[in-house]
Amino acid sequence: MALSLKPRHLSRYGDIARLLVKHGRAEGLRHEDEATTDDAEKLVHDLEAMGPTFVKLGQLLSTRADLLPPVYLEALARLQDDVEPFSFAEIEQIVTDELGVRISNAFQSFDNEPLASASLGQVHRAVMRNGRSVVVKVQRPGVRDSVAHDMDVIEELAGFLDEHTKTGRKFGFAGMVEEFRAAITAELDYLQESDNLRTMGEVLSQYDQIVVPQPVDDYTTSLVLTMDYVEGRNVAALGPLAQLDFDGSALAEQLFRAYLDQILVHGFVHADPHPGNVLLTADHRLALVDLGMVTRVGPKMQDELIRLLVAISENKGSDVAAVMAGIAEHTDDYDEETFERRIVDLVQRNQSVAMGDFRAGVVVGDLARIASECGLRPPSELTMLAKALLNLDQVASKLAPDFDPNAAIRDHVADVMRHKMLRAASPGNLLSAAMDAKEFAELLPSRVNKVMDALARGELTLNVQGIDEKELMRGIQKLANRVTAGLITAALIIGGAMVMRVDTEVKVFSYSALAVVMLAVAAVAGGWLMITSLRNDVPHDPDARTRRRR
């Protein structure tokens, strides 16, 4: 694959090339022992300067412990999506065009100054005609074209790296970019975010201390999102004195449980729960905002993640390694022995960590990093779990510094397992199983009759695939020869023993000559059979011996 170097892409190619030269290498980003805080902060600054697509790309990279050293992950996790606001005149024009009504007619009041201004859009506070306090999120003009342009460049470069670099073949950048494109495209559709808010509100409805602002459907389009205004303080800005006003442990416990439910039960996850997206409300609840980026986890992967978290919380390193090896994609460089040894060592080291110092997100991120270094490609769900837990660790440390995430995970995962077992025993599932059993019982007699009829007519055939027929026949022939030789040898021994009792004129060592001859032939045949068996059946190929040991 060669880069097309389209004229409209040339400037972006140059920007990315400078970024790679400045912060990494074509064959891989900086090694951990080469990374410094200054390098990481410069990368963050450069990504912010390159625009909204690269800000979002940086936020995605902050989840990839398998790609970047911890110092980079920490810096990227603080990446600020905060840019200069665009004019109120543009806001007014977009809202009017999208809603089909002037702002002054649609709202009782609408603040000219934004509450926040990000790379993809900005948020204004407003009050609807019925008195409902809301915020209106308006997409930045031209951002869709800008993102599409940048994604074309990034996608082409990812394909080039996959084909021409060792690092690309190891990590599969094209697959990551494809996921990134899908995520950022969904984030640019505010109708999708509106659905996310509504779904997350239903998922977390059982948690009385967690709030999810709900959308106003009639005032929402793909470019304008109107939702409830939630007054609160950014959790990241809370100081030690503020923690005295509320029960931080209870809030942290409920937040952890809520996210574990999202991942392990509902499979619908707020993909970016960093402290800036979690607010402490005036009534001391937690509000989750900015649900533009969500991810989904299938039932099978949920079960595997449950096994992984249980193994981590119970400090079972071998089980952790087994689950990781089962869910990851194996490459040609996979080193099973090294992988298991390092995973066991990681789990044992974290066993002695003090309660308040244990960081579940760091541990899962380290698992992904070790897997990558040993020739495995962790699934995207695992990196998402690492990012979510890492952010939750940060939020929990602000709410309750002595909170034990390990205990919270262990206790709630047990509840999740009970919930799944009860759901598996639900009337619907039992009815489905009963219908399958009924169908099996109805069809079994006719199927058995067909098999018996075919057997009686001599028409029963077995279709076995994956067998070398010539090798199989040679093995059968060898076995038959050995059995025949063994039988002849046994017959000679028995015959010789019987002839020994017969009194004959010709004797050898006072025994019948015929008996001695028969026993001698039997001894020679038995020796020959043993020697050929040892020589032919024990593999001389070192690879064959290795395969047998496995």
Side-chain angles (χ1 to χ4, degrees):
M1 173 183 178
L3 295 178
S4 60
L5 295 177
K6 297 174 183 177
R8 64 191 183 95
H9 291 168
L10 286 176
S11 63
R12 269 313 191 210
Y13 283 131
D15 291 340
I16 297 174
R18 283 190 290 273
L19 192 71
L20 289 172
V21 170
K22 187 175 181 181
H23 300 286
R25 298 188 296 269
E27 288 294 324
L29 295 175
R30 292 184 187 275
H31 193 269
E32 186 168 347
D33 57 7
E34 300 175 357
T36 67
T37 303
D38 289 342
D39 291 333
E41 294 298 336
K42 289 175 183 176
L43 174 61
V44 168
H45 175 76
D46 289 341
L47 288 173
E48 289 175 339
M50 290 176 70
T53 311
F54 293 89
V55 169
K56 293 298 178 183
L57 180 61
Q59 292 174 350
L60 172 68
L61 288 174
S62 71
T63 70
R64 299 308 301 252
D66 54 324
L67 288 176
L68 296 171
V71 65
Y72 276 87
L73 299 179
E74 293 171 7
L76 290 169
R78 299 190 299 270
L79 188 62
Q80 296 296 312
D81 192 9
D82 188 11
V83 299
E84 288 294 321
F86 53 100
S87 69
F88 183 73
E90 291 174 293
I91 290 285
E92 192 170 22
Q93 184 64 51
I94 294 171
V95 172
T96 300
D97 291 344
E98 289 295 309
L99 302 185
V101 61
R102 295 178 61 85
I103 284 183
S104 57
N105 294 329
F107 298 94
Q108 188 180 118
S109 64
F110 195 105
D111 290 355
N112 288 9
E113 295 298 322
L115 287 174
S117 180
S119 56
L120 299 185
Q122 66 187 41
V123 178
H124 291 254
R125 187 176 177 183
V127 178
M128 298 179 63
R129 286 293 175 181
N130 61 6
R132 181 177 178 179
S133 292
V134 296
V135 292
V136 181
K137 184 175 177 181
V138 182
Q139 194 166 114
R140 187 173 290 273
V143 71
R144 290 192 178 187
D145 291 339
S146 174
V147 167
H149 171 268
D150 288 342
M151 284 307 308
D152 287 343
V153 178
I154 293 172
E155 197 170 60
E156 189 170 0
L157 282 171
F160 180 82
L161 292 173
D162 282 359
E163 186 167 335
H164 295 284
T165 69
K166 181 179 178 181
T167 302
R169 288 188 290 272
K170 179 178 180 181
F171 294 108
F173 293 129
M176 298 180 197
V177 171
E178 185 178 351
E179 292 178 7
F180 177 50
R181 179 188 282 273
I184 197 170
T185 300
E187 193 169 0
L188 286 168
D189 183 359
Y190 288 170
L191 287 173
Q192 182 64 55
E193 184 172 352
S194 172
D195 291 339
N196 295 341
L197 289 167
R198 193 177 300 105
T199 302
M200 190 62 70
E202 296 172 358
V203 166
L204 302 182
S205 59
Q206 61 177 308
Y207 292 99
D208 59 347
Q209 297 187 73
I210 296 181
V211 181
V212 180
Q214 292 301 290
V216 182
D217 292 337
D218 292 340
Y219 284 64
T220 296
T221 70
S222 62
L223 299 180
V224 175
L225 171 61
T226 304
M227 56 185 166
D228 292 328
Y229 171 69
V230 179
E231 186 173 2
R233 292 175 290 173
N234 191 314
V235 168
L238 295 178
L241 293 178
Q243 296 171 2
L244 301 176
D245 297 335
F246 56 89
D247 186 353
S249 295
L251 289 177
E253 174 81 18
Q254 193 162 120
L255 185 65
F256 254 84
R257 285 178 168 265
Y259 270 90
L260 289 173
D261 272 354
Q262 291 176 43
I263 297 168
L264 304 177
V265 178
H266 304 285
F268 183 82
V269 190
H270 182 198
D272 195 21
H274 66 76
N277 284 341
V278 182
L279 305 179
L280 180 67
T281 66
D283 58 353
H284 297 157
R285 295 190 294 169
L286 295 177
L288 305 182
V289 298
D290 192 2
L291 266 75
M293 192 175 293
V294 298
T295 190
R296 299 180 185 275
V297 183
K300 290 185 178 179
M301 183 58 69
Q302 287 176 356
D303 292 342
E304 294 299 333
L305 293 178
I306 289 174
R307 294 188 183 96
L308 181 68
L309 291 175
V310 169
I312 292 173
S313 64
E314 297 292 340
N315 299 307
K316 297 180 178 178
S318 296
D319 291 350
V320 173
V323 174
M324 283 288 296
I327 63 177
E329 180 183 349
H330 294 219
T331 69
D332 294 337
D333 298 330
Y334 175 48
D335 186 343
E336 181 179 2
E337 184 178 344
T338 301
F339 172 67
E340 183 170 355
R341 185 181 68 252
R342 292 183 62 182
I343 292 296
V344 170
D345 179 65
L346 172 67
V347 173
Q348 289 177 345
R349 278 190 284 110
N350 281 279
Q351 186 175 2
S352 59
V353 173
M355 178 181 69
D357 296 331
F358 180 83
R359 294 291 177 260
V362 173
V363 174
V364 178
D366 286 342
L367 293 178
R369 176 177 54 80
I370 292 172
S372 176
E373 291 173 356
C374 293
L376 294 175
R377 286 183 186 173
S380 58
E381 291 89 348
L382 184 72
T383 57
M384 176 275 303
L385 175 64
K387 173 64 172 177
L389 290 177
L390 188 63
N391 284 329
L392 290 176
D393 289 340
Q394 296 173 8
V395 175
S397 66
K398 288 291 185 180
L399 296 173
D402 59 347
F403 177 71
D404 183 7
N406 197 23
I409 290 172
R410 184 170 55 248
D411 294 344
H412 192 57
V413 165
D415 293 340
V416 169
M417 292 176 68
R418 284 193 292 270
H419 172 82
K420 282 183 171 287
M421 292 177 67
L422 289 173
R423 188 167 63 180
S426 66
N429 287 336
L430 291 176
L431 179 60
S432 177
M435 293 297 293
D436 290 340
K438 171 180 173 292
E439 181 180 359
F440 175 77
E442 289 176 345
L443 296 177
L444 181 61
S446 63
R447 289 174 176 171
V448 171
N449 285 337
K450 290 179 181 179
V451 172
M452 298 304 293
D453 290 343
L455 183 60
R457 293 192 300 268
E459 297 175 353
L460 184 64
T461 59
L462 295 177
N463 183 14
V464 181
Q465 298 181 357
I467 294 178
D468 187 336
E469 296 176 357
K470 293 182 179 179
E471 186 63 29
L472 179 62
M473 291 305 298
R474 279 196 296 268
I476 293 174
Q477 195 173 40
K478 184 186 296 184
L479 178 62
N481 292 339
R482 300 281 172 78
V483 171
T484 302
L487 288 173
I488 294 173
T489 302
L492 287 171
I493 294 172
I494 295 171
M498 294 176 67
V499 171
M500 275 187 177
R501 298 181 180 180
V502 179
D503 188 14
T504 61
E505 294 181 359
V506 181
K507 294 184 178 181
V508 178
F509 302 115
S510 300
Y511 296 106
S512 169
L514 180 59
V516 172
V517 170
M518 293 174 68
L519 291 174
V521 172
V524 172
W528 172 82
L529 185 60
M530 183 176 295
I531 292 171
T532 55
S533 297
L534 291 174
R535 186 179 63 188
N536 296 330
D537 293 350
V538 176
H540 298 281
D541 180 10
D543 294 336
R545 283 197 290 269
T546 301
R547 288 192 292 272
R548 283 189 56 164
R549 284 199 298 272
R550 290 180 179 173

